[in-house]
Amino acid sequence: MTNQTSVKLLDDGAAIQVAWPGGDARFHAVWLRDNALDEQTRSATNGQRLITLQDIPAETRIGEAKITDTALDIRFAPEGKQTSFPLDWLRAHAYDRSDALPLGRMAPGIKPWNGTLDLTDISGDFAAVETSPTARRDWLASVNRYGFATLSGGPVENGALLRVADLFGYVRETNYGKWFEVRTEVNPSNLAYTGLGLQAHTDNPYRDPVPTLQILYCLENSAEGGESLVVDGFAAAERLRRESPRGFDLLSRYAARFEYRGSAGVHLYSRRPMIEVSADGELTAIRFNNRSTAPLTDIPYDDMADYYTAYRLFGDIIEDPTMAVTFKLEPGECFIVDNTRVLHGRKGYAATGGSRWLQGCYADKDGLLSTLSALEAA
Ligand code: FE2
């Protein structure tokens, strides 16, 4: 690559163009200076940047640039600072792109699914993922790819779900406790604690930020019914965008409101869209929960009827049986969902005859993705 790579200055050194076999990319002088890799700019031990943008002259230019062996050597003016970038690093960090990114796209590595999802792709064995870094890496990778995974063969004991969170990070404790019990109660504080069926939903949209992972762990499940079901909210949003671009636009453009005040001393509320996209259009979160949606007051009168049409259509898509994966957890089995993406629900079950006892807890994706990345790098 070395001999075939060339560099030229653009706009009096305000930028450069690097050409390598099969492509080229422009880089601004200020961008290169800000991202210099030397020890005066970045800590050699933790990689953290040691300067602020204010330490770089606003009039920064490239005085000289040349390709040497496998690197690009640069002298910045007016500082006179010399530094070097590996050519591989430059290629990996090229940003010279003029095409607009598509609205509603999914992040790289995300795989949307529907009811045909092969459960063997997302299943792990409890003992294996606890003891084998490779098995753990593969299982965490499926959580990242599908937003959903199951584990079987775990212990049938109180609090065993904490060992699942320990695989990658930390429990997020809430007003429901470090974990919560999901079984029939008299005078339940939350509908989840009854035998009623539950429409597929994301949990706790009334929190901001929401818990980004949920683990549901089965200790007893001899009651008739009570199957779990999961739906890929990103696939549902993608389908909504196809069937009704305006509907997608309305649900992503306007904030919905969510609220919970089911127990004394607790009043949780948030104002966030049902479909959230990043500033440049990447799908980032789904919030959908009929039980905790508050009166919607952030949609103008002229758009409200269409908003409700879109909300209904999104619900129809989510309830379409072809979108859902349904399974019945056995004692010692659990599943984890990315609560910003995958909706979960359950079918109704008989409150008499047999029993159903699940324990649930929340955790966060930052820890999971960090552990996954470290395992992948190992
Ligand atoms: Fe839930």
Side-chain angles (χ1 to χ4, degrees), residues 110-113 145-147 232-234 338-343:
I110 296 292
K111 199 162 178 191
W113 48 267
R145 189 176 308 121
Y146 300 103
D232 184 357
F234 281 6
D338 176 342
N339 190 49
T340 64
R341 170 182 171 190
V342 171
L343 302 90

Side-chain angles (χ1 to χ4, degrees), residues 180 182 190 192 198-204 214 216 289 291 339 344-345 362:
F180 46 88
V182 185
N190 188 307
L198 292 174
Q199 185 188 36
H201 59 277
T202 61
D203 258 39
N204 293 198
Q214 178 172 195
L216 276 169
N289 191 318
R291 287 167 287 146
N339 190 49
H344 63 281
Y362 300 116

